Amino acid sequence: MTLASRAMSRRGLLKLAGGTATAGALMGASGCGLLGGSESAGSGDGTVEKPNIKVGAMPVTDLAPLHLAVRNGIFQQEGLNVEIVTTSDGSAALTSTIGGDYDITYASYVPFFAAQARGVADLKIVADCGAGAPNTTTIMTSPSSKVRTPQDLAGKTIAISGPRTISELLVKATMRAYGVDFSKSEFTAIPFINMPAALQQGRVDAAILTEPFLTQAARASGAVPVADTNTGPLEDLPLTGYGATAQFVQDNPKTVAAFQRAMDRAVAESQDRSKIEPLLPEFAKIDKDTAAIISLLKFNSRADATRLQRVPRLMKDFGFLDKDIDVSKMIVQPAQG
């Protein structure tokens, strides 16, 4: 039995148990009064430069803490009125943020670091969001495919969400970790939502699927795992975060600090899966049964330079970047309480 199949077998047992053990929600936050619950609410002086802000976000499960903060009034307690604007993808949201349409945006770290390296904009990371957890991002195949192990991926057609995205990076890094030459494989761009059908129809040999599409593919067509991308050198890899332009951060330091405090509290509350699971059908557009059994990324709020540096290092290794980036210079450190 392969590493991936063992992981999925455990996943099946967890699902039979009701999915409660699959949350994988780690707080990843620290600060004055945070562990004491609501003690940190309103820890600022009550004034922010920009009380009404727009946050660009995709309808994905790792944004559960953000939606929880809106639903439970955590942002309002910090003097913020947050409007979540749904976007098609992280790169599009980042482009809109650079253009001034959004104040803060959610995206995978790949477009943040790519834009910074190219000098497209001076960007800052205001908060961390999600890191890899078992069974949340997996290379899958159809039951009729001859692909069963990572070694079988050599020379095959593999669906990714787009070129030079976090999905392509994860697939190539996973193949390299298993000693598989990916240079002769074909990487086809297909939206995550269409990947289960592409597998079922035999249009691709394998696909990298995230939740909830991973669970949907397994339930609908019996898709099977080939490799869990949260293993070896990719274990606990930071995947997504919240960013803003350096100009916005400079002009609105109290606003950014209020956003950070709110996300600290929301991530802490999101450790209790029962608080966020009811929100998933609403913003992630999945049914209640799926929401009850999907695996969740590790939720974080505080960006750590050592952990984040792993991402641009991988990007450079695989030709996504042509120079090094010092992540520590991009992180907006929260004010000490």
Side-chain angles (χ1 to χ4, degrees), residues 4 11-12 18 27 49 69 85 134 198 206 235 287 297:
R11 173 193 177 87
M27 183 168 66
E49 302 87 359
V85 183
E235 185 175 354
D287 60 86
L297 293 176

Side-chain angles (χ1 to χ4, degrees), residues 72-86:
N72 289 3
I74 298 175
F75 283 123
Q76 289 184 329
Q77 293 171 20
E78 294 291 349
L80 294 177
N81 178 35
V82 172
E83 177 187 356
I84 300 176
V85 183
T86 302

Side-chain angles (χ1 to χ4, degrees), residues 3 84 95 146 253 269 317 337:
L3 174 64
I84 300 176
T95 299
K146 295 182 179 180
E269 289 190 22
D317 284 350

Side-chain angles (χ1 to χ4, degrees), residues 157-206:
T157 300
I158 306 170
I160 58 174
S161 62
R164 293 184 175 272
T165 58
I166 187 67
S167 64
E168 180 183 352
L169 187 65
L170 290 175
V171 170
K172 289 183 174 180
T174 299
M175 291 176 71
R176 185 177 71 174
Y178 280 98
V180 182
D181 181 8
F182 56 79
S183 63
K184 296 182 180 179
S185 297
E186 180 180 348
F187 298 93
T188 301
I190 298 176
F192 284 123
I193 194 172
N194 296 332
M195 286 186 188
L199 281 175
Q200 190 172 14
Q201 296 164 7
R203 291 189 282 123
V204 294
D205 299 303

